[in-house]
Amino acid sequence: MSEGLSRRLAAAVIVVMACGAMVSAAVPAPQAVAAAAARKVVKIHGAGGVRGLEAYQSGIIVSPAGRVVTALSTVLDAAQIDCVLDDGRRFPASLVGVDPRRELAVLSIEATDLPSFAVDTGERVSVGTRIFAASNLFGVAVGDERVSVQRGVISAVVPLAARRGAAAAAYTGEVYVLDRTTNNPGSPGGAVVDSEGRLVGMLGKELRATATGIWLNYALPVDELAAGIEVAVSGGGGEPSAAPSGSFDPRSLGIVLVPDLLDRTPPFVESVLDDSAAARAGLRADDLVIAIAGRTVASRAAVQQALAAIAPGDPVRLAVIRGGDVVECDCGARPADTGVSP
Amino acid sequence: MRSWQAGGAGLVARAVVAMATSAAVAMAIDVDPAVLDAERARVEVIARASTAAVAIFAGDGAGGSGVLLTRDGYAATNFHVVQPAGPAMRCGLSDGRLYDALLVGIDPTGDLALVKLLGRDDFPVAELADSDEVQVGDFCFAAGNPFLLATDLQPSISAGIVSGVHRYQFPAGTILEYTDCLQVDAAINPGNSGGGLFNAAGRLIGINGRASFEKRGRVNVGAGYAISANQVRNFLGCLRAGRICDHATLGATVSTSADGRVVVSDILESSDAWRRGLRYDDEIVSLAGRPVRTVNAFKNVLGTLPAGWQVPLMVRREGRPQRMLVRLAGIHSAAKLADLVAGGLEPGPDEGRKAVEKFRLPEVVADLYEPRPGYANHRFNVIERDRVGAALAAHRDTLPPGPWVLAGRLEGGEEFRIELADSLASIDLPTGSSSLAVDEPFDRNPAPPGSGGLLAALVVWRRLVTEGPARLGRTAYWGTAPRDPAALGDAAAVDLADVLETSVAGVEARCTVDADGRVLAVDLWTSPDAEPCEVRFAWDAEAGGPAALPTRIDVARGGQAFGRFVVERPAAGEAAR
């Protein structure tokens, strides 16, 4: 009764506060924006769970037919990736493709009529824009529990100069810097929406500023997101690669390696994508990669480096150990730094 | 390098804009009056909430926050805030004054504690809201003492939105389990613990107590958690009892079945749930009136309930719904609870003295502190017991002295007569008559047959009313429990009533008393493992006779009705003779 009335009044006050000087009857209540955004974000479960690497992150549903965009991370280094929807339904996801430069990946789940975001590549929003960030930070939401929603403001639009550990972040284009601590474990792949619920960006991986070492709270703007999705789904039709060496993704050849969880993770093959160059070359799951183009590789990171060192178009020859024997596999020409061939 | 500088500049520019006063902005641009009104309202709400915020100093650099709930100084905080303090602490309010305060009750599992500030009877208070109404996206703010910054006793305010509701947080290396909590992006830092989380109307929706801290150090990273106001409300009575409170267990564990239902995967045959008919593979539909669709939801509901409550449980078996009322047992044994809070809160007789010496309690505080096993501070139990005693006495005074006679018809139309005198209680039923001498051991005479001790329960009831709790066997204040457990979930707010716990003449009884001093219910156990005799009293305002005597008595045992006694001719004293 009076509780209900005071709630409605409170809601009215919030609406007024949320839209500041631009009071407009058209701006929906923040509760409605938060709920609508959270419905279009999935909880992703994959590899990890040890040594400070989470086995979960977030993803944005970008088509009613089950296309999900997320951050490219070790969570996706798994034979099985699961997406859990807002209603608790769990779907295995397949990797459609990746954009290593923007460090994003596109997944697909076999679902229909999903609530989804339009990836509208209109103008960028300006500094000072109020936003909501919806993500499964710290994995607090499980099953049908709704992902977390934070509120903030876009503080700056700047080129990203960041690192993870000693490695520089691959993406150096512009990002939205946010004033809330949005980029936490589990946040990567979360949606950033404006006060009307339009998708304006995607939360990126946890990174520190190169200059200061400070943890960054940032999002990839939606136009970059759209371009990245294009690269990932077209499997190479995109733009010229600007990826720095070391960022070549073995999945481009159809090779899924075990999750890189240790300092020197042995480069075992987790799985081989169907109908890929690696599959045609006879590579199999559980093969241990020992050499690439005649150079020995002792870790998963070394495999990535060695592959990156091969110029696009040059042959990729692997030596693997299988059942105690050394087996040579010729994976054909190295593709550009793009997604997996469909 | 460049990116960060640019980012920093952007932040600075924005901060300057934000810091400019509304007046200055109003001069520069035409601000809608509604915005200025909203801002003014928010400033007022925060100012009012700040007056109820407590800065707790627990000694040796420890401390945290609290929030005042009653005019006479009861304030809620976290167990982990008061744990280092022992029985006494000092509390600062935004009026700039320091108050002596002492520990009242604790709930170690739920990380709650109740303290009492001394020296005023007109403390500013925060009003508990219905936290089940809170939605993701709601504006909220925390008022507290982060990093113990409040050396001037003024609370720090951090604002944000509610990020999640009904969150379940596993006990992280401790027993402090956060169930059904609110998640906020308002900054919750060390020192905010125990402080209030308020909604846009300035009403209390939770007690801040935990945050996700990780590799970035023990500072806010955008995910703070608050114990819901509704959980606080459920435990408040037990805390006021000065007890070390325990949380509830159903005596059964649940898991998710292959088709996504929440089903009973294990159950103790000694549990009340088993006796009420809960079995393996039963699907849990609702608990305490709240729907259960996931294991977390089950844990969430259970986590908000004190051990000892009776709550409705709805299950589905082979497609058919079944409803039962179950008594919830405690998660921990008394000894285990004592271990958990070790560190001066549960002292033995000697340690109690030591604790008092150690903290050199001011006299005004020492008079209000009494250590006793099972209690954080037994003195408050006596205070609460006497409060209920005063209500019972006011009620008793409407009755003339002498025997009580309750005569009327059972539901089937047969006559009954109950007489309760100072030395003997008797009952005449169609099936026969029984009696109970007031000085015999009640546990040996659970008359009338099949009732589990109805006469004993009625004697306990009458003695409680006529003699008062202080003179009836060993009687303690237990706390509060739902006035009508079966109705839990039907109404938005839980209607709570005081409960007294009595040990007398070989039996244990729990008596529910309303604010007017009317005894609503007596549950009586002739042995700890026996099914209790459950007696419920009802009043019909239209009926004649002494207002203190009930017009209907419902008696049940083991989930089966023993009888409904419609009292047509209640009488007391001379009229009864």
Side-chain angles (χ1 to χ4, degrees):
Chain A
M1 5 153 280
S2 68
E3 179 70 23
L5 179 63
S6 67
R7 269 198 62 74
R8 279 193 291 278
L9 285 174
V13 169
I14 294 163
V15 170
V16 170
M17 288 190 297
C19 46
M22 303 167 291
V23 174
S24 151
V27 176
Q31 292 87 345
V33 174
R39 268 196 292 275
K40 301 171 200 164
V41 172
V42 298
K43 295 155 281 231
I44 296 179
H45 299 274
V50 291
R51 292 177 62 98
L53 288 172
E54 293 73 31
Y56 55 86
Q57 61 184 29
S58 309
I60 304 170
I61 305 175
V62 292
S63 90
R67 186 154 282 177
V68 173
V69 61
T70 184
L72 179 57
S73 76
T74 54
V75 174
L76 306 181
D77 288 343
Q80 180 163 352
I81 304 163
D82 280 349
C83 290
V84 179
L85 305 188
D86 183 65
D87 59 12
R89 284 186 293 162
R90 176 182 278 261
F91 292 92
S94 56
L95 186 69
V96 175
V98 300
D99 178 353
R101 190 174 79 80
R102 295 183 183 83
E103 296 196 272
L104 66 78
V106 174
L107 309 177
S108 175
I109 58 176
E110 294 209 1
T112 53
D113 299 330
L114 299 180
S116 65
F117 281 109
V119 186
D120 191 351
T121 57
E123 278 180 35
R124 282 198 185 159
V125 291
S126 57
V127 170
T129 300
R130 289 173 183 272
I131 55 95
F132 293 95
S135 79
N136 193 19
L137 75 171
F138 295 104
V140 291
V142 297
D144 67 350
E145 293 162 15
R146 189 151 282 179
V147 296
S148 304
V149 183
Q150 299 168 291
R151 188 192 65 174
V153 166
I154 292 176
S155 305
V157 184
V158 293
L160 186 68
R163 61 180 169 81
R164 184 173 43 257
Y171 178 73
T172 52
E174 287 189 326
V175 293
Y176 293 136
V177 176
L178 308 174
D179 75 337
R180 283 273 153 168
T181 315
T182 47
N183 297 55
N184 279 300
S187 297
V192 175
V193 303
D194 66 11
S195 56
E196 291 177 45
R198 287 179 297 242
L199 185 68
V200 299
M202 180 181 83
L203 297 176
K205 291 193 281 192
E206 286 184 282
L207 296 173
R208 289 169 183 256
T210 309
T212 61
I214 288 172
W215 292 99
L216 290 173
N217 299 301
Y218 70 99
L220 189 68
V222 70
D223 54 303
E224 291 285 348
L225 191 62
I229 292 171
E230 179 63 31
V231 170
V233 301
S234 66
E239 57 206 60
S241 168
S245 67
S247 75
F248 180 81
D249 193 299
R251 276 170 293 204
S252 302
L253 294 164
I255 305 170
V256 179
L257 294 169
V258 294
D260 194 6
L261 303 177
L262 309 172
D263 281 343
R264 297 171 68 79
T265 306
F268 278 105
V269 175
E270 175 89 30
S271 62
V272 177
L273 299 180
D274 289 344
D275 203 23
S276 63
R280 286 187 290 273
L283 207 66
R284 294 188 203 160
D286 296 333
D287 285 352
L288 176 64
V289 183
I290 54 165
I292 295 174
R295 285 162 51 189
T296 57
V297 285
S299 70
R300 194 189 179 293
V303 168
Q304 223 145 332
Q305 260 173 15
L307 288 171
I310 300 171
D314 283 1
V316 180
R317 293 200 186 87
L318 305 181
V320 301
I321 292 184
R322 182 186 302 156
D325 298 327
V326 175
V327 180
E328 301 241 348
C329 301
D330 187 346
C331 294
R334 203 204 97 158
D337 298 318
T338 54
V340 178
S341 311
Chain B
M1 186 70 194
R2 181 177 151 265
S3 74
W4 184 247
Q5 282 179 334
L11 281 168
V12 170
R14 183 172 151 66
V16 170
V17 170
M19 281 187 294
T21 65
S22 58
V25 173
M27 277 189 288
I29 51 170
D30 189 18
V31 178
D32 191 313
V35 173
L36 298 178
D37 285 348
E39 183 186 42
R40 212 170 293 122
R42 185 176 51 171
V43 168
E44 277 167 23
V45 158
I46 288 174
R48 195 171 63 224
S50 297
T51 63
V54 182
I56 295 180
F57 300 98
D60 292 337
S65 310
V67 57
L68 279 158
L69 300 177
T70 69
R71 309 279 290 167
D72 57 349
Y74 285 99
T77 181
N78 282 141
F79 164 65
H80 80 259
V81 168
V82 298
Q83 192 177 21
M89 63 214 76
R90 309 210 80 188
C91 292
L93 297 188
S94 66
D95 63 7
R97 290 177 56 193
L98 269 180
Y99 296 84
D100 282 312
L102 74 173
L103 186 62
V104 177
I106 54 172
D107 165 17
T109 314
D111 198 15
L112 265 183
L114 192 68
V115 300
K116 189 172 191 293
L117 277 64
L118 304 177
R120 280 172 69 176
D121 55 11
D122 61 344
F123 282 107
V125 299
E127 193 190 343
L128 282 170
D130 179 355
S131 52
D132 284 340
E133 293 269 303
V134 175
Q135 285 183 311
V136 173
D138 282 357
F139 171 80
C140 64
F141 65 95
N145 188 11
F147 305 115
L148 308 188
L149 286 173
T151 47
D152 62 352
L153 308 184
Q154 303 306 308
S156 302
I157 306 296
S158 47
I161 62 166
V162 175
S163 297
V165 293
H166 303 301
R167 292 296 197 217
Y168 178 79
Q169 287 284 287
F170 279 97
T174 68
I175 59 157
L176 309 179
E177 183 182 33
Y178 275 57
T179 53
D180 207 37
C181 57
L182 303 170
Q183 180 198 342
V184 298
D185 74 352
I188 305 298
N189 281 299
N192 271 110
S193 284
L197 180 72
F198 299 86
N199 65 13
R203 300 184 71 207
L204 190 65
I205 55 175
I207 302 293
N208 305 309
R210 186 163 166 175
S212 289
F213 296 130
E214 224 223 12
K215 50 185 165 287
R216 304 187 195 189
R218 286 182 60 77
V219 292
N220 165 61
V221 290
Y225 304 94
I227 302 160
S228 74
N230 289 6
Q231 180 173 335
V232 174
R233 194 184 285 106
N234 287 351
F235 277 87
L236 213 45
C238 297
L239 292 167
R240 286 183 70 128
R243 293 172 44 210
I244 300 172
C245 308
D246 197 5
H247 276 243
T249 168
L250 188 61
T253 54
V254 300
S255 59
T256 309
S257 67
D259 54 356
R261 297 171 307 137
V262 179
V263 297
V264 174
S265 52
D266 203 358
I267 181 164
L268 289 172
E269 296 190 8
S270 59
S271 67
D272 192 54
W274 174 271
R275 288 200 294 262
R276 296 287 74 77
L278 188 69
R279 292 296 179 267
Y280 290 90
D281 294 332
D282 279 353
E283 178 189 355
I284 308 286
V285 178
S286 73
L287 177 65
R290 287 179 50 186
V292 169
R293 292 191 194 93
T294 62
V295 171
N296 268 8
F298 175 81
K299 288 179 179 173
N300 273 342
V301 179
L302 203 55
T304 63
L305 302 172
W309 274 25
Q310 201 176 16
V311 296
L313 171 68
M314 179 88 85
V315 303
R316 198 176 290 137
R317 184 182 303 159
E318 287 158 10
R320 281 193 305 279
Q322 304 200 17
R323 192 181 161 91
M324 51 191 91
L325 265 185
V326 294
R327 283 175 200 279
L328 302 171
I331 299 176
H332 306 98
S333 68
K336 175 74 177 161
L337 267 185
D339 280 355
L340 292 173
V341 300
L345 288 176
E346 156 107 324
D350 293 341
E351 290 154 312
R353 207 163 41 245
K354 257 187 281 169
V356 174
E357 283 162 12
K358 179 181 164 198
F359 295 102
R360 264 183 253 104
L361 300 183
E363 239 166 74
V364 57
V365 176
D367 286 349
L368 284 167
Y369 178 62
E370 181 200 334
R372 180 178 287 200
Y375 291 89
N377 185 348
H378 184 259
R379 182 76 188 92
F380 280 90
N381 195 269
V382 176
I383 290 171
E384 290 300 308
R385 189 190 68 189
D386 291 350
R387 177 179 62 77
V388 178
L392 285 163
H395 201 55
R396 172 182 66 230
D397 293 345
T398 65
L399 283 169
W404 297 358
V405 172
L406 305 165
R409 290 174 191 280
L410 292 165
E411 227 177 359
E414 307 98 324
E415 299 220 342
F416 74 88
R417 187 175 185 279
I418 296 167
E419 179 167 345
L420 306 171
D422 287 345
S423 57
L424 191 78
S426 60
I427 183 165
D428 299 325
L429 290 171
T431 50
S433 299
S434 341
S435 64
L436 174 72
V438 167
D439 55 2
E440 72 175 302
F442 293 174
D443 53 334
R444 308 238 182 96
N445 186 5
S451 70
L454 171 58
L455 276 179
L458 294 174
V459 168
V460 167
W461 166 53
R462 181 166 181 271
R463 286 189 60 189
L464 184 65
V465 175
T466 57
E467 297 172 32
R471 293 179 55 206
L472 173 65
R474 216 158 21 84
T475 299
Y477 179 71
W478 183 84
T480 52
R483 194 186 161 111
D484 182 5
L488 268 181
D490 293 349
V494 180
D495 195 2
L496 298 173
D498 291 306
V499 177
L500 296 170
E501 219 173 16
T502 289
S503 180
V504 60
V507 297
E508 305 279 335
R510 276 178 158 232
C511 308
T512 308
V513 183
D514 74 5
D516 297 328
R518 292 196 299 196
V519 178
L520 302 172
V522 176
D523 293 332
L524 181 130
W525 286 260
T526 53
S527 81
D529 304 323
E531 292 273 13
C533 174
E534 299 169 337
V535 185
R536 302 287 175 269
F537 301 95
W539 282 263
D540 180 355
E542 301 298 308
L549 296 181
T551 50
R552 201 180 73 222
I553 304 173
D554 286 301
V555 182
R557 185 168 186 244
Q560 302 290 318
F562 176 77
R564 166 166 284 193
F565 298 77
V566 179
V567 182
E568 295 167 339
R569 299 180 301 281
E574 287 308 312
R577 293 194 174 93

